[in-house]
Every structure is written in structure tokens, then in C-alpha cells.
Amino acid sequence: MTRGSRRIAYLACHGTATTSPVRRHDASEHDHSLRIFGPAFEARGYVLEEVVWDAPDIAWRSFNAAIIGTTWDYAVQPDRFLATLQTIASLVPIANPPALVEWNLSKRYLRELKEKGVPSIPTLWADRLADLPPDAIRAAIATEQMVMKPVVGAGGVDQFKAMTGTMPPPGHPLWHQGVMIQPFMASIAGEGELSFIFFDGAFSHAVRKTPAGGDYRVQAAFDGREHAFTPATSDLASAQAVIDALPAPALYARVDLVRGTDGTLSLMECELIEPYLYPLFDASKGENLVMAVDRWLKRTG
């Protein structure tokens, strides 16, 4: 750290932090972020320091700001996570802000974006899976296969893919939480999922993600693969429309889109909490993010 450097807390979790004795299968993504974004921050007078978000006795006031990074265990304790963010926000600027995180915490935000005109995947929602008989699911989901997901979840955890109307086995976690049910998008197996990274509302870079053989999930935790991707103008416009529909500005956002049979893109997810930002595909090598942080901190005073 150079004299006069501004300290930025980069929030991680026990499973991703480099100091953790036992790390997640996808913790390498955390390492990529520090290795690429760290020098970009340093070049502009910042020091990016990993901090486990729920570690005790963190002197938050000693930092100039905090950025939510790889807090990938938040979904198992969302109330505690949100309360911690609110505590941090009372002491230093934090991005994304707790209000936007709270809005993004439940995937019911997808309904709000759909009401604003964002092309979305048809979704059946339920507070309790037991309230959805198989016939109701088959009537609502017009594809042979479906995917059930937790309403509050991350990283593809606890999902259930099956023939439409098939229920998870007894004891499956989905029986004990809010669920969302969507048609399985066949393009996932081919083109894959398209991710668009935005900093301060401006497009930075994109990546195409495909699942490993025999799976449908594109996350690194399930050995998904990543590919360079240069979006067409129309595809980028679809992603920008999602950003424009957000209820508040986001310092960073990842828009995940998937192509339908008619060739148009629909929103899979808009991740505003702790998205992996695919720095390996960022031609600016973190400069786009650091410039956005500069503007953000000037606005926050």
C-alpha cells in the first residue's frame, strides 16, 4: 500500500477468501478478480482488500468504501447479510447499496422488470411448492422440461430440472421455501447463457457461458465453460433495456440473457448483489470498473 492510498473493502465469504483453509470449488473466480482488478485499483490510488463480510470486529471506518464481491453464502442467511450491509452503509459508502440489494435479493424482482416491458422467461411463482399441483404446473409451463429454482438463491444451488409437472423428491430443499418454475430454455445447451457486464450503467464486456456435458447449469461450481463473446447491437440493446429499467442506479450489474426459439433474448437474471464480473474477459483489465468507482465516490462525497 502506498502512502495516501484509499482503502476499498472487497467483501468475500469464508468459502472464497484466500485466507480460508477450506475453499469453494469456484474460489478461483475470487482470485481472478483480485489479480486483475487489484492492479487497476492500485494504479489509481486505491488498495483493494478482501474482507470476509461476517468476520467479527471489522473496523469499517478504516476503509474509504466497500464493494460487495464474492459473498456467495448470503442466500443461506439473507437477513443477517442485509443487516450487515446496512451497518457498513451507515459508516462508509457501499456498493451496491443495501436498498438495491434488498430489491434484488428475492427473484420476484423479475416480475417487476417484466411489468416494465423487459422480455422475460415465463415464470410460475409459489410461496409453497405444496400449493402447486402437477397439473397446474403442466398447464402453466408449455415445454416438455422445466426448471424449479428457489426464490432466494444463488449459484444454481437447490435447483431441480425434470419433466414438466414432476415434483422434487421428499426432503428436497425446494419444499421448504418459495419457488419459481420456468420452462427449460433449450438454447442453454447450445448457445448457452449470455452475460453482459455493466459499470455505472455503461456496458463494459460480455461472456458466453455453456454447461458441462450432462448438466444445464453454467456456473463454474458445476464446471460450466466460458467463451469470449462480442454481442450484436440488438443483443446489447436487450441488455441495456434491463439496466434502464432498474429502480436505482447500480455501480455494477451483470445481465444474464438467454435466446428463445424466435431469436430474441429474454432475461434470466439481473445480478446486482455479488455477481462474478468475468474479469478475464474485460479488455480494460479493470479500468472500466475503477473509473466507475471514481465517479461513484465523487457522487457520494
Side-chain angles (χ1 to χ4, degrees):
M1 178 171 18
T2 60
R3 185 176 182 180
S5 295
R6 293 165 288 179
R7 301 175 68 205
I8 306 290
Y10 186 77
L11 305 190
C13 66
H14 292 281
T16 59
T18 58
T19 55
S20 297
V22 179
R23 306 183 75 202
R24 292 167 49 121
H25 178 58
D26 55 356
S28 60
E29 295 186 334
H30 173 81
D31 299 341
H32 293 323
S33 297
L34 292 179
R35 179 173 59 83
I36 294 174
F37 291 144
F41 274 80
E42 185 175 355
R44 296 193 65 85
Y46 297 100
V47 175
L48 198 63
E49 302 180 35
E50 67 172 7
V51 178
V52 175
W53 70 268
D54 58 348
D57 304 321
I58 300 298
W60 296 111
R61 287 191 185 275
S62 68
F63 294 94
N64 297 91
I67 295 175
I68 305 169
T70 58
T71 57
W72 293 343
D73 60 353
Y74 79 90
V76 299
Q77 44 185 339
D79 293 338
R80 183 185 179 198
F81 178 68
L82 191 59
T84 300
L85 298 187
Q86 291 167 338
T87 296
I88 299 171
S90 70
L91 302 172
V92 296
I94 184 170
N96 282 320
L100 193 56
V101 169
E102 184 174 16
W103 177 83
N104 199 227
L105 198 62
S106 165
K107 289 183 172 58
R108 289 187 177 88
Y109 74 82
L110 292 168
R111 292 194 294 193
E112 182 176 326
L113 292 179
K114 182 179 180 180
E115 291 170 358
K116 291 184 175 182
V118 171
S120 303
I121 299 172
T123 304
L124 183 63
W125 304 87
D127 292 329
R128 295 191 329 127
L129 186 55
D131 294 336
L132 288 177
D135 286 347
I137 297 174
R138 285 190 286 266
I141 304 299
T143 55
E144 187 175 276
Q145 294 182 303
M146 65 172 190
V147 179
M148 290 185 181
K149 306 175 183 179
V151 170
V152 178
V157 176
D158 293 340
Q159 293 187 5
F160 178 71
K161 176 178 175 286
M163 302 297 290
T164 299
T166 303
M167 304 303 276
H172 194 284
L174 286 172
W175 286 105
H176 309 293
Q177 57 190 304
V179 299
M180 54 187 292
I181 305 174
Q182 297 177 322
F184 173 66
M185 304 295 285
S187 63
I188 287 288
E191 182 181 34
E193 183 177 288
L194 307 179
S195 289
F196 301 76
I197 313 303
F198 290 81
F199 297 131
D200 200 22
F203 173 69
S204 174
H205 56 285
V207 62
R208 183 171 67 89
K209 304 176 293 187
T210 57
D215 208 323
Y216 69 96
R217 293 162 294 191
V218 299
Q219 292 89 349
F222 302 101
D223 296 320
R225 304 179 182 92
E226 301 157 9
H227 314 267
F229 172 61
T230 301
T233 301
S234 58
D235 291 346
L236 182 53
S238 296
Q240 185 68 57
V242 178
I243 297 298
D244 294 343
L246 295 179
L251 173 64
Y252 52 82
R254 194 189 73 222
V255 178
D256 296 333
L257 303 177
V258 62
R259 203 174 305 276
T261 55
D262 62 354
T264 61
L265 292 176
S266 292
L267 179 62
M268 177 75 73
E269 184 169 8
C270 180
E271 180 56 71
L272 306 174
I273 301 175
E274 36 60 84
Y276 182 49
L277 300 171
Y278 297 98
L280 295 175
F281 295 87
D282 179 5
S284 81
K285 299 186 182 301
E287 182 69 11
N288 290 341
L289 173 57
V290 178
M291 294 294 288
V293 168
D294 265 342
R295 296 191 296 270
W296 165 56
L297 290 179
K298 287 176 182 177
R299 291 197 299 267
T300 58

